[in-house]
Amino acid sequence: MRRLFSLIFIAVILALTICAILAKQSRKPVGRPVMILDIALIPPVLGNLIIVFSSDHLLSLIGCYMYYMGMNLVMAALMNFIFEYCHCKWPNKTTMLVFYFLLLADNLQYFMNPIFGQAFEVECITVDGFPYYRMIPHIGQIVHRVLDFSILTVAIVILIVRCIQTARIFAERYYAILAVMLASAVWQTSYMFSRAPIERAMIGYGLFGVLIYYFAIIRRPTRLLDRMLANVASEMPEAMFFFDANERCIWANTPGIELVGIEDENFFQANTSLREMFGEWGKNKAEWTSQQIGKNADEIRHYRLQFQPIQDEKGRSAGSFLRIRDYTEEEKQRRRQMYNSTHDALTGLYTREYLFERIQQKLRDNRQMPYQVVFINVKNFKLVNDIFSKEFGDHALRTIAKWVRTDQSENCVYGRLGGDTFGVLVPVEEFNAAQLEEELGHFVVDDGNLTYRLLIHLGVYKIVDKRLDVAVMFDRAHLALSSIRDEYQTHIAYYDDELRRKTLWAQQISAQLYDAIQERHLRPYLQPIVNTDGKVVGCEALARWIHPKEGFLSPGAFIPVFERNGMIVEVDRHMWRCACEILASWKGRFDELFISVNISPKDFFFIDVLSEIKGLVKEYGVDPARLRIEITETVMMNEADDRMRILSEFRKSGFIVEMDDFGSGYSSLNLLKDMPVDVLKIDMKFLSRSDNENRSQTIVQNIINLSDDLGISALTEGVETEVQYKALAQMRCKLFQGYYFAKPLPQEEFESFCERTSA
Ligand code: C2E
Ligand code: CA
Ligand code: CA
């Protein structure tokens, strides 16, 4: 029996030593207090070993002192540990000093025991046939016990408070230590009252030291982690499924349960459902997306899945989990945004940028198929908006969009290029020109109240090089439209070699324009304007380009090029300046003559026409009344109010404003009523279209009458014969211009022409 106990005590001492060493190596803050506690436990256990093992009186006494005085050390170490472990401190310094003083006093008391015998004495009894010295407690020993128990109680109370104060899952670390301490305390108490000869409580304390090491340092609060993880997993909005090493589902969070419909926590059901919904998965397929039909049959839900195997620290499979995220809302949002950025709000067709992207894609995907792009343009769409309403205009655009969509195969791509233009990519063989011509011959917009015929033209560019910029392809298709002469008869035009040549030529002369202005290769020719007496009253300045290589270029060749690319501004500015120069040079010679200059509608987009021209007359000291400005009704196609204001300003500043080419376009007599113009230039050419001489005469007569009524003087251009001249004069037309009098002439020739005729 005594041997057995001795062995146990030795084992406990060894265990405590090992724990103390390991605790010292631990990096946790609680490592040091645990080490101190375990070391402190060694003397009392050793004392007990001596008591149990020796049959010698003196040795037994030494054992007793080691035991009791050691216990005080243990109490100090215990408090030290408890404070560290429970993250608390001595309430104040005095309490701490009192505590250590009491322990010290208790130990002093034992030092005095050999003299006064107030603490204990030993009596010899026989255990296992050997003498055994048992302690008989006196008052000092009782005081010692009270002290140690009180300290133990304080430690226990601190732990209990901690257990109550701390959240349940975190309190686990205190429960374990508390349980161990209570057990040790109960054990020691029971021994005290049992009067069993051998002190066993110390075994309990020894174990206490080992267990404290275990709970405070070794044991990871896995339950705590588990619960925290489970909480996190449950709270996750994504569905989570956990599988064991045999790939059976062992747990799923609420979203997971809802996703596959697990009943009564029968998680294993999930395996089949998941595989049915999302297919197989594994190492090779760890991340994928999947679409499922939602609860409403017409709703598609989007899932992103992620599979993750779990391995233990030795790399063995410990199971796996699957995360499934429902990103339907994000996807919807993304698609909405995508749709908005790629689709035109009015027509629902692709936007220009997206159309180009899709066309590029299509061309890349179908390298073999011959394709062409079609540029669709509505002639004078602006008028539709102006004459009817914006609503009707929108309706018209939707009607066109609907027509564009009709009968398109999956090989086609189409969209709205902007404003009133649309674009289509179509395989050459699917383009049915005859049918399209037929359809466009009577393209009508009808909103229920109103029916209006739209004039739509298609420019076609057959793609030769598929790598060409799509924008350039459409530019070419657009350019093809310029080749249409009879726009009511022909609706489709093709970009061909002729156009290609023209494009190249346009690029060349554009590059040469600045030099041509500098070198004065570009200069005005003056066409006389005469009155009813045949006397020259002024002239129109018409641009001519005397090209060093190409020879004489008439404006019909280059003006449209510059109108398209905006360089017309440079031409006009130059012409205005030349006109002012000439007027200035005429001072004292042809003081009464005026010069009319042309203003392109484009000029208003790029420069402040009014201040530009005002600046010029000022610079050359020219009377504004002698520089007439010719505008066409197309200037009114944009920002009519603003243009109206500018023209009024011109008149206020003393200029005479002429409406050019009246009758050639959409001339509405209505518009004329409000237009601030002084002269109406009636275009004879537009009349010659009609063979009916009488009808033409009636129209001209009416226009002249009307302008008379409005206080506007009429000028007829394109007068080629004496008959015309006479007839027009009869109709009370005041001014005339045309080949009958003279062609546009170089300045000197014009001057001598004037001198000749006035002579
Ligand atoms: P426009 O302003 O209507 O000029 C009158 C055009 O009719 C001139 O053609 C003139 O030569 C031509 N013409 C004059 N009398 C007769 C005739 O009896 N019979 C026929 N068949 N034609 C006649 P041109 O000079 O070739 O100019 C053509 C157009 O080019 C002009 O038409 C004008 O729109 C534009 N243009 C000419 N110079 C300039 C310019 O400096 N700036 C701008 N923006 N446009 C210009
Ligand atoms: Ca003109
Ligand atoms: Ca004209």
Side-chain angles (χ1 to χ4, degrees):
M1 183 75 165
R2 285 172 74 175
R3 286 233 171 87
L4 177 67
F5 276 110
S6 303
L7 282 175
I8 291 174
F9 282 128
I10 290 169
V12 168
I13 290 170
L14 275 175
L16 283 171
T17 314
I18 292 167
C19 288
I21 293 168
L22 292 176
K24 186 179 158 44
Q25 285 166 358
S26 156
R27 266 188 241 138
K28 287 190 178 179
V30 80
R32 219 178 119 78
V34 169
M35 175 196 74
I36 294 171
L37 180 61
D38 282 356
I39 291 172
L41 277 162
I42 294 172
V45 180
L46 191 64
N48 268 278
L49 174 65
I50 295 169
I51 297 167
V52 173
F53 193 71
S54 84
S55 303
D56 179 74
H57 178 238
L58 184 65
L59 272 179
S60 295
L61 269 178
I62 291 173
C64 281
Y65 284 118
M66 278 177 83
Y67 174 21
Y68 305 132
M69 286 159 82
M71 269 320 270
N72 285 340
L73 217 61
V74 170
M75 288 304 137
L78 178 68
M79 282 317 279
N80 181 38
F81 163 76
I82 288 290
F83 281 153
E84 174 64 43
Y85 195 67
C86 297
H87 308 290
C88 48
K89 279 197 208 108
W90 288 101
N92 50 48
K93 227 173 171 174
T94 327
T95 327
M96 187 180 77
L97 288 175
V98 169
F99 170 78
Y100 286 114
F101 172 77
L102 288 173
L103 288 177
L104 198 70
D106 190 42
N107 274 6
L108 281 174
Q109 176 221 176
Y110 281 111
F111 279 116
M112 287 186 279
N113 191 47
I115 307 161
F116 301 110
Q118 87 291 354
F120 66 91
E121 60 182 312
V122 289
E123 65 173 344
C124 186
I125 55 168
T126 307
V127 177
D128 296 350
F130 291 95
Y132 174 79
Y133 291 91
R134 184 171 68 179
M135 184 271 290
I136 299 167
H138 297 307
I139 179 73
Q141 183 66 10
I142 290 166
V143 168
H144 164 78
R145 277 180 186 165
V146 169
L147 180 66
D148 281 8
F149 266 91
S150 307
I151 293 170
L152 205 57
T153 312
V154 170
I156 287 169
V157 169
I158 290 175
L159 278 170
I160 289 173
V161 171
R162 275 283 149 201
C163 288
I164 295 167
Q165 279 177 345
T166 317
R168 273 190 69 119
I169 49 169
F170 294 104
E172 191 189 348
R173 60 196 302 251
Y174 302 119
Y175 284 133
I177 303 286
L178 179 64
V180 174
M181 264 171 73
L182 280 173
S184 311
V186 168
W187 195 350
Q188 195 183 24
T189 319
S190 67
Y191 158 76
M192 259 189 312
F193 294 104
S194 75
R195 301 281 298 149
I198 293 174
E199 164 79 71
R200 296 148 208 225
M202 227 31 243
I203 299 172
Y205 275 114
L207 286 177
F208 168 70
V210 175
L211 286 174
I212 277 184
Y213 166 75
Y214 173 73
F215 283 116
I217 292 176
I218 295 289
R219 200 176 110 99
R220 239 168 29 105
T222 43
R223 225 156 62 87
L224 168 72
L225 278 179
D226 287 351
R227 277 214 231 142
M228 279 172 81
L229 287 177
N231 271 355
V232 171
S234 308
E235 296 295 313
M236 273 198 187
E238 27 192 278
M240 305 271 299
F241 297 88
F242 289 85
F243 304 93
D244 63 13
N246 301 319
E247 293 182 12
R248 266 167 55 104
C249 181
I250 44 171
W251 188 80
N253 64 359
T254 318
I257 292 171
E258 278 165 9
L259 179 65
V260 296
I262 297 169
E263 283 158 15
D264 304 328
E265 304 226 323
N266 287 325
F267 292 118
F268 61 87
Q269 292 171 345
N271 284 56
T272 341
S273 318
L274 281 172
R275 291 208 142 78
E276 267 169 19
M277 286 172 83
F278 303 108
E280 291 294 323
W281 63 83
K283 271 206 191 84
N284 303 329
K285 189 182 171 190
E287 265 189 73
W288 73 106
T289 56
S290 168
Q291 274 97 53
Q292 303 286 322
I293 293 171
K295 288 198 184 85
N296 312 326
D298 56 345
E299 182 197 45
I300 303 279
R301 299 213 71 86
H302 299 261
Y303 297 97
R304 188 163 287 136
L305 297 95
Q306 205 181 18
F307 168 71
Q308 180 92 51
I310 309 169
Q311 289 173 341
D312 65 9
E313 58 280 8
K314 293 202 175 101
R316 292 173 303 211
S317 169
S320 55
F321 65 89
L322 186 65
R323 297 161 55 161
I324 305 179
R325 202 161 76 76
D326 182 337
Y327 67 103
T328 311
E329 291 313 312
E330 282 162 63
E331 181 65 15
K332 275 190 194 156
Q333 175 86 0
R334 194 186 65 80
R335 288 189 185 199
R336 251 195 309 274
Q337 277 172 358
M338 174 87 176
Y339 185 88
N340 289 343
S341 67
T342 54
H343 288 72
D344 169 51
L346 177 68
T347 60
L349 297 183
Y350 292 156
T351 54
R352 179 190 175 88
E353 290 70 27
Y354 193 56
L355 173 68
F356 287 6
E357 219 179 290
R358 293 300 305 261
I359 287 178
Q360 262 172 354
Q361 182 74 38
K362 199 60 149 196
L363 293 176
R364 269 201 301 271
D365 294 349
N366 301 284
R367 279 179 208 280
Q368 299 310 320
M369 196 180 284
Y371 267 106
Q372 58 196 21
V373 292
V374 183
F375 182 94
I376 303 174
N377 182 52
V378 187
K379 188 81 189 173
N380 293 316
F381 183 75
K382 178 84 173 58
L383 281 176
V384 180
N385 270 337
D386 285 356
I387 298 173
F388 306 111
S389 64
K390 197 179 165 301
E391 285 69 38
F392 188 79
D394 286 352
H395 177 72
L397 288 173
R398 277 194 295 263
T399 310
I400 302 166
K402 196 171 149 204
W403 174 74
V404 169
R405 270 196 203 101
T406 324
D407 296 336
Q408 301 273 22
S409 82
E410 56 177 22
N411 295 319
C412 303
V413 187
Y414 45 90
R416 185 178 175 195
L417 293 173
D420 55 357
T421 55
F422 297 81
V424 183
L425 174 82
V426 53
V428 175
E429 57 179 30
E430 286 180 27
F431 187 76
N432 187 342
Q435 191 197 327
L436 288 167
E437 272 291 2
E438 156 74 22
E439 285 172 15
L440 292 172
H442 51 84
F443 193 98
V444 169
V445 181
D446 185 351
D447 73 344
N449 299 317
L450 201 80
T451 322
Y452 183 77
R453 162 142 192 234
L454 280 185
L455 191 53
I456 296 176
H457 294 113
L458 311 186
V460 181
Y461 169 68
K462 187 163 178 277
I463 300 167
V464 188
D465 179 1
K466 288 191 174 175
R467 287 163 306 177
L468 190 71
D469 192 359
V470 179
V472 176
M473 294 178 187
F474 274 109
D475 281 349
R476 290 185 180 173
H478 185 183
L479 204 69
L481 290 181
S482 64
S483 67
I484 296 182
R485 294 285 159 252
D486 49 349
E487 48 190 30
Y488 287 89
Q489 305 305 315
T490 314
H491 301 96
I492 305 176
Y494 299 85
Y495 180 91
D496 52 15
D497 284 346
E498 162 82 2
L499 262 174
R500 189 195 306 275
R501 222 174 22 75
K502 278 191 184 158
T503 321
L504 264 169
W505 185 79
Q507 283 167 356
Q508 275 165 15
I509 60 155
S510 297
Q512 295 161 354
L513 178 64
Y514 291 97
D515 283 348
I517 290 173
Q518 285 269 303
E519 308 284 327
R520 300 257 167 169
H521 293 153
L522 188 79
R523 62 179 89 127
Y525 269 40
L526 307 174
Q527 186 172 35
I529 292 169
V530 305
N531 61 12
T532 26
D533 305 331
K535 191 174 170 290
V536 179
V537 288
C539 61
E540 179 179 359
L542 293 156
R544 299 289 182 266
W545 189 334
I546 322 297
H547 198 281
K549 286 211 190 83
E550 313 222 8
F552 186 88
L553 295 179
S554 69
F558 59 86
I559 294 285
V561 171
F562 298 134
E563 291 233 313
R564 266 200 299 274
N565 66 16
M567 288 169 95
I568 188 69
V569 176
E570 304 308 324
V571 176
D572 282 354
R573 261 211 285 231
H574 173 64
M575 290 291 288
W576 304 337
R577 178 173 287 276
C578 289
C580 287
E581 251 173 37
I582 295 171
L583 284 172
S585 75
W586 282 350
K587 266 201 188 115
R589 223 174 131 205
F590 302 109
D591 279 317
E592 70 291 2
L593 295 187
F594 66 82
I595 300 182
S596 298
V597 290
N598 290 285
I599 298 181
S600 159
K602 280 271 176 95
D603 293 336
F604 291 94
F605 282 113
F606 297 107
I607 56 170
D608 180 350
V609 178
L610 178 67
S611 49
E612 188 90 18
I613 292 182
K614 270 167 85 171
L616 279 170
V617 291
K618 208 170 159 205
E619 187 183 332
Y620 286 92
V622 170
D623 174 9
R626 295 180 59 212
L627 186 74
R628 298 189 170 190
I629 60 160
E630 291 191 9
I631 46 110
T632 55
E633 60 202 344
T634 40
V635 296
M636 291 299 167
M637 297 285 264
N638 291 292
E639 297 168 46
D641 290 346
D642 193 49
R643 300 292 143 81
M644 214 71 114
R645 188 187 56 75
I646 296 174
L647 294 185
S648 302
E649 288 285 322
F650 264 117
R651 296 180 71 202
K652 266 188 225 151
S653 308
F655 294 92
I656 289 175
V657 179
E658 302 180 331
M659 164 78 92
D660 199 0
D661 298 346
F662 189 81
S664 69
Y666 288 81
S667 325
S668 73
L669 296 169
N670 230 357
L671 196 68
L672 191 63
K673 187 162 83 298
D674 306 316
M675 289 267 289
V677 297
D678 306 280
V679 178
L680 202 63
K681 291 187 83 168
I682 306 160
D683 194 340
M684 278 298 276
K685 279 174 279 173
F686 93 91
L687 293 170
S688 65
R689 238 196 264 141
S690 147
D691 303 307
N692 190 331
E693 194 91 0
N694 278 338
R695 196 166 164 254
S696 305
Q697 288 214 347
T698 322
I699 295 173
V700 176
Q701 178 69 73
N702 274 314
I703 295 176
I704 295 171
N705 287 347
L706 179 91
S707 56
D708 254 2
D709 288 349
L710 293 170
I712 300 172
S713 48
L715 185 161
T716 322
E717 329 176 67
V719 180
E720 290 182 345
T721 61
E722 193 181 356
V723 180
Q724 284 176 333
Y725 176 41
K726 291 269 159 65
L728 289 161
Q730 277 259 299
M731 291 183 223
R732 290 190 320 280
C733 182
K734 302 279 158 30
L735 297 171
F736 311 86
Q737 180 185 350
Y739 294 168
Y740 173 65
F741 311 102
K743 290 199 164 187
L745 305 163
Q747 188 186 343
E748 304 77 48
E749 280 181 41
F750 172 80
E751 287 166 359
S752 36
F753 178 84
C754 286
E755 275 156 359
R756 242 190 356 258
T757 49
S758 66

